Amino acid sequence: MPGAGAARRGDQLRVDERAVALGGVQQGDAELEGTVDGGQGFGLVGGAVEGIQQDIADLAAQLAEQHLTNGHLAATPYQRETQRYGGPGAIGAAEAVFAADSALVRTLDTPAAARPRPTPAALRRRRETLRPQCRAAAVPADLTDLWSTLLDTLTAYRPLLTDDVAPLCASDLIHMHCNRLLGTDRDHEHLARSLATDLLRRA
């Protein structure tokens, strides 16, 4: 499932039905419009959700105000990326990870904002500044439950993956987590991956 991530100026945003039901949106290839086409409902999984149209319209307006999109919004059906996340036997568990990760990210104070692209040297300096902080970091008390839920879903997901696809699925999960947390910022995603690799090597 996609997550709520910032887009760069001129990018477009797709809102998937299941993603909305689970609280996430994803960058895609459909334009953002301020209202749903013709004022029709989204036909969400589990039934219509009152107020969702206005919530999504507000999101479109916020992104437009930050010059991150053109301010148009359209709804498209959710399409499972079944093979990408391990096949029919694993996709349900993967979607549980998506939902848990989205719930965690929504609580974090990481407002989207347009940022200039850093130079490689600046990224290296930033990585070295953050490395000791990451090594010493602990999960804040108010996030413990959400963090535990995410770990539980990941623990349930892993046994459903074959060893040959597990690394690819892990990489895709990291990518989507960064989209939710950082927006479509590939430089900062690379920085996050580098810091995560450092932590794994020390584990």
Side-chain angles (χ1 to χ4, degrees):
M1 184 193 90
R8 291 165 294 190
R9 183 170 185 175
D11 281 347
Q12 299 171 328
L13 193 74
R14 180 175 75 229
V15 179
D16 286 335
E17 291 178 356
R18 184 175 174 86
V20 172
L22 295 175
V25 295
Q26 150 176 351
Q27 182 188 353
D29 56 8
E31 288 189 348
L32 284 166
E33 296 176 3
T35 59
V36 179
D37 294 346
Q40 299 299 312
F42 281 86
L44 297 177
V45 174
V49 178
E50 292 185 7
I52 193 67
Q53 290 172 281
Q54 188 59 52
D55 291 341
I56 298 299
D58 290 344
L59 171 62
Q62 291 171 14
L63 293 176
E65 287 174 0
Q66 297 178 63
H67 305 290
L68 297 174
T69 71
N70 58 13
H72 295 288
L73 176 70
T76 63
Y78 171 68
Q79 296 180 349
R80 281 180 156 183
E81 296 182 274
T82 302
Q83 296 307 315
R84 178 180 181 182
Y85 291 103
I91 186 62
E95 288 173 336
V97 175
F98 304 156
D101 190 47
S102 293
L104 175 63
V105 168
R106 284 200 304 271
T107 68
L108 303 177
D109 184 18
T110 55
R115 290 170 289 200
R117 184 169 186 177
T119 64
L123 280 173
R124 287 194 295 271
R125 290 193 296 270
R126 182 63 173 158
R127 181 187 60 197
E128 295 310 308
T129 299
L130 291 174
R131 192 192 304 272
Q133 298 177 35
C134 289
R135 290 177 176 178
V139 178
D142 59 333
L143 297 180
T144 300
D145 290 344
L146 290 170
W147 182 255
S148 296
T149 299
L150 177 57
L151 292 183
D152 288 343
T153 60
L154 288 167
T155 300
Y157 180 43
R158 176 60 183 91
L160 303 177
L161 302 174
T162 58
D163 290 342
D164 59 324
V165 303
L168 297 175
C169 292
S171 180
D172 285 338
L173 290 179
I174 293 170
H175 170 67
M176 295 309 299
H177 174 74
C178 288
N179 278 358
R180 296 179 185 109
L181 189 62
L182 304 172
T184 54
D185 187 328
R186 297 296 168 256
D187 295 307
H188 286 83
E189 177 179 336
H190 179 76
L191 176 60
R193 286 176 179 271
S194 178
L195 292 168
T197 299
D198 176 69
L199 292 176
L200 287 172
R201 288 175 175 169
R202 293 173 57 84

